[in-house]
Amino acid sequence: ALLPPATADSPVDLRLPRLAAEYATLRQVPITLPLAQLASLGVAGPRPQALGLLAALVWQAVTLHAPADLRLALVAPHAGTEWEWLRWLPHTVPLHNDPAYRQRMCATRPAAAVRLMSDLLDHVSRRRDLAQRDDAPPPLPRVLRVVDGAEVAATYPVVREIMRHGASLGMAVVVLVPSWPQIPEACAAMLDLGPTGARWVRAGEPWPAAAFQPDHVDLALSDRLARRLAAIRLQEVGGNQDVPRQVR
């Protein structure tokens, strides 16, 4: 309701206009993005800021979800050491859960990227077959794929497959690129980091006028978090299982 003008003899408490002005704009409110429904997001901006934001998104994913619920796969064949901390995370254990298998789903070399993409393509095919047979919810664990580089996203068809159909498969992909025109067209949403803040928009909608302040974490803190979470172990009898039965 509109407040009447504040005057000396007004019956309205003179503190009300000040309170209305103070709370007219809410600050430090979280900005949420429904990645599970979108299934694909392109993140664009200067690399230090974009890496800090994407690391913050990974923080939220791995601290709010057990490895039984979410797995993380990185494809960054041309990156340096910025992503090495992900190898400590139990969420990067391969989907077959073989306890004797020491590799992680972190491909930071071209040959490793080819192998990981092939494994994930097989997994996508199995999930697609299951989705066609019944109307069951997306299987667990959900899979979040981080792709570092527009050329990587364009090289592997499995990335486009997840962009288009990931929501029904329990999979999502985030692509990191230097500028928003390089975001793949198949992405369902775009997030752009600029000098005045960040903006995100669904594909086909206009960019919002207002920007928000993005989260940012550094490499040292990310490594510390990942090493703390490394103590989590998947308790599994035998390999070749899609879903772990117990996490401790």
Side-chain angles (χ1 to χ4, degrees), residues 58-163:
V58 171
W59 276 37
Q60 295 180 45
V62 299
T63 55
L64 297 176
H65 301 85
D69 300 319
L70 177 73
R71 294 297 172 87
L72 181 68
L74 168 74
V75 182
H78 306 297
T81 59
E82 301 116 329
W83 294 112
E84 287 299 314
W85 60 278
L86 292 182
R87 297 181 185 278
W88 290 98
L89 293 172
H91 302 75
T92 60
V93 170
L95 289 161
H96 50 63
N97 293 336
D98 189 343
Y101 191 72
R102 297 298 181 184
Q103 297 296 321
R104 295 299 178 106
M105 293 191 294
C106 297
T108 54
R109 295 182 180 180
V114 172
R115 289 194 299 269
L116 179 56
M117 286 297 195
S118 178
D119 291 344
L120 291 175
L121 180 59
D122 291 341
H123 198 71
V124 166
S125 298
R126 291 195 297 271
R127 290 195 173 193
R128 187 171 49 204
D129 292 341
L130 291 173
Q132 292 173 351
R133 286 203 295 265
D134 52 49
D135 195 24
L140 292 176
R142 292 183 177 272
V143 180
L144 174 60
R145 179 177 303 181
V146 177
V147 176
D148 190 348
E151 70 285 354
V152 181
T155 300
Y156 299 98
V158 65
V159 178
R160 296 190 295 274
E161 180 75 13
I162 295 176
M163 288 180 182

Side-chain angles (χ1 to χ4, degrees), residues 20 64 70 83 128 138 171 187 198 218 221 233-234:
L64 297 176
L70 177 73
W83 294 112
R128 187 171 49 204
M171 309 180 87
C187 274
D218 62 27
L221 287 176
R233 291 290 182 268
L234 301 180

